[in-house]
Amino acid sequence: MFRNNFFQRHFLWVVVVLTAVLSTSCASFGSKRLIASHTAYNDAVQLTVSREVLANIVRSRYSDPMQFIAVNAINASFSVSVSGSAGVGGIGQAGTVGEAAGAAGYSDSPTITFMPQSDAAFYKSFFGLFDVEETVLFGLAYRYARTDPGWQELSLRFSFGSINDANDFTYGKMNELYNQRVKALAQLLLLGATYQQVPEWDFDSSAITATKVTGEDRVNAFKHGLYFIEEDNGEKLRLARYRMVLALTLPAADAPEAINALEDLGVRPGRKQYVLRPPLHATPGITDPYAIWVTPRSMADVIGLATRFVDVPTPHLRFVPPLEPITGESSVISAIRIRSSEKPPSFPYRIQHRGYWFYVDDSEIETKMFFEAIVAAYSSRVGSKQAGDEGPQVVLPVGG
């Protein structure tokens, strides 16, 4: 009887200690496991998206169909297995001893969901034009653009496909007038011009006789954010609403350098602010000599332009169409290259296409900076498709 009670007391003590030790271990190890796994998955997704963009730049250079597959979801299931043992020796003797042993095992079984992005919603976003604000964010205000005029010119070329009726390429050749517009914009920014949001009236209606507008009409218009604006000395009214637009603001609009740049840009000097207007701002029969008319690029257009930096292997020149290079006086343009080789490179941003490897060399800083901007633009515009979007999915259990 004595031996049984002694054994029970010691066994209970061992179990309590073992449980406490294992619980503390699980809590500590679990939090560390979460941090380590989050970082690993984050790195993996970043590398996956970067290679996806690189692969499609190369495919586009070869005139091969592009295809994007997004990592739609990562469901990581963590399991814990606990085992323990306890024993008491020498019961009833002077040398009574107790021993306990325990072990905790952790396993991670993720399920990764891929979604091929090939439906109408994806292509609408992929081929749709960037907003002017988006263009400025990822192009003109790109963090390297202010460090060097060459970066500023390059970001302008990848932001706008047309500036004041001057297209970038005419019959496959770089348009010199477009080059002039790009240099003029870069010169104004170099002189201290900044981008500011300013309000203006959005006139999207026909003028009507003022006597036909009642007080009730004005109240109803105000409820919908509309206002009646007077024209022709108050004889006519036009419905309008406020909208915020992006304007290039000059610190010294009357400086000779600024006047020359404005003339090269194709606008009339004499103002401090020049609104950047997309094609949809155009009103039939009305021209604005103080507006900078720009056509922002689409993500598809950006990738198409980036293909001009791809080095095509000599054996492939016979079936890869030649392209007019991006011209410019900047050394930045000539420094950007997506390299190719037969042997696998040691750099992380690499893909294989048609028997060759294409990669971004880590030692070529200009190329890495350029590639970072392209990946950021893609991720913002089309790389964030939500899980609720319809489309086929491929679910792969990892480690199965």
Side-chain angles (χ1 to χ4, degrees):
M1 184 67 175
F2 171 77
R3 291 184 177 181
N4 289 340
N5 291 336
F6 182 85
F7 178 79
Q8 290 176 357
R9 287 196 304 270
H10 280 73
F11 181 77
L12 180 60
W13 174 82
V14 170
V15 171
V16 171
V17 173
L18 179 61
T19 302
V21 171
L22 291 179
S23 298
T24 304
S25 176
C26 289
S28 175
F29 192 84
S31 60
K32 294 179 180 179
R33 183 73 175 179
L34 176 62
I35 295 173
S37 298
H38 174 273
T39 303
Y41 286 130
N42 188 294
D43 291 343
V45 171
Q46 181 270 343
L47 185 58
T48 299
V49 173
S50 299
R51 289 181 174 178
E52 187 93 344
V53 174
L54 179 60
N56 283 287
I57 291 176
V58 175
R59 287 170 181 164
S60 182
R61 180 65 184 92
Y62 276 72
S63 299
D64 290 337
M66 289 185 286
Q67 178 63 57
F68 291 87
I69 297 181
V71 179
N72 191 264
I74 300 176
N75 298 317
S77 300
F78 296 92
S79 59
V80 181
S81 60
V82 179
S83 62
S85 62
V88 178
I91 298 176
Q93 302 176 9
T96 300
V97 296
E99 61 179 14
Y106 293 82
S107 63
D108 179 5
S109 301
T111 299
I112 301 181
T113 303
F114 295 91
M115 174 179 286
Q117 303 199 70
S118 56
D119 60 356
F122 169 78
Y123 283 110
K124 182 178 180 180
S125 180
F126 188 61
F127 287 96
L129 299 182
F130 284 96
D131 294 332
V132 174
E133 290 79 5
E134 286 182 284
T135 302
V136 170
L137 177 63
F138 289 109
L140 310 185
Y142 179 51
R143 61 193 177 102
Y144 295 111
R146 293 288 187 174
T147 62
D148 182 86
W151 279 111
Q152 190 68 77
E153 287 191 24
L154 183 68
S155 65
L156 285 167
R157 295 179 188 278
F158 274 80
S159 298
F160 303 125
S162 175
I163 304 174
N164 278 344
D165 297 326
N167 296 324
D168 53 356
F169 290 92
T170 304
Y171 299 107
K173 301 292 183 180
M174 180 66 76
N175 187 357
E176 287 303 320
L177 182 58
Y178 173 83
N179 288 336
Q180 175 182 305
R181 302 275 199 256
V182 168
K183 293 179 180 179
L185 263 177
Q187 176 66 13
L188 291 172
L189 292 168
L190 189 63
L191 293 172
T194 57
Y195 292 97
Q196 297 180 359
Q197 280 195 322
V198 297
E200 71 171 9
W201 291 112
D202 179 13
F203 297 99
D204 193 17
S205 63
S206 301
I208 57 178
T209 305
T211 56
K212 295 183 178 180
V213 178
T214 64
E216 184 178 0
D217 294 332
R218 294 177 183 271
V219 172
N220 289 331
F222 181 78
K223 290 180 179 178
H224 292 85
L226 297 170
Y227 301 86
F228 283 98
I229 308 302
E230 293 184 353
E231 294 183 358
D232 296 338
N233 296 322
E235 295 183 2
K236 292 184 178 180
L237 299 176
R238 188 190 298 269
L239 274 175
R241 71 171 74 240
Y242 265 126
R243 66 180 174 192
M244 300 299 294
V245 295
L246 204 65
L248 187 68
T249 302
L250 309 181
D254 55 348
E257 298 89 345
I259 293 175
N260 291 335
L262 289 170
E263 291 176 346
D264 289 342
L265 187 57
V267 297
R268 184 181 301 171
R271 282 192 180 180
K272 188 178 180 64
Q273 289 184 327
Y274 292 82
V275 176
L276 277 73
R277 299 195 182 280
L280 293 179
H281 277 201
T283 302
I286 299 177
T287 59
D288 185 357
Y290 299 99
I292 304 174
W293 292 94
V294 294
T295 303
R297 295 191 185 276
S298 64
M299 194 63 230
D301 194 20
V302 168
I303 288 181
L305 190 62
T307 62
R308 299 170 191 274
F309 294 125
V310 176
D311 285 339
V312 179
T314 302
H316 291 177
L317 292 176
R318 58 186 176 84
F319 59 84
V320 176
L323 293 176
E324 178 78 8
I326 299 176
T327 59
E329 301 175 359
S330 170
S331 60
V332 172
I333 295 178
S334 60
I336 297 175
R337 284 294 177 270
I338 296 176
R339 303 291 183 179
S340 62
S341 68
E342 290 188 81
K343 297 181 179 180
S346 59
F347 309 111
Y349 304 123
R350 65 182 188 270
I351 59 96
Q352 194 173 20
H353 187 71
R354 290 180 176 257
Y356 277 80
W357 289 90
F358 296 84
Y359 62 94
V360 173
D361 192 321
D362 271 349
S363 64
E364 297 178 346
I365 306 300
E366 291 83 359
T367 303
K368 286 187 65 178
M369 292 161 57
F370 167 77
F371 187 59
E372 177 199 3
I374 299 298
V375 173
Y378 168 79
S379 299
S380 172
R381 168 47 66 112
V382 295
S384 57
K385 204 171 173 63
Q386 298 300 315
D389 296 333
E390 294 183 0
Q393 296 187 2
V394 180
V395 181
L396 299 179
V398 177

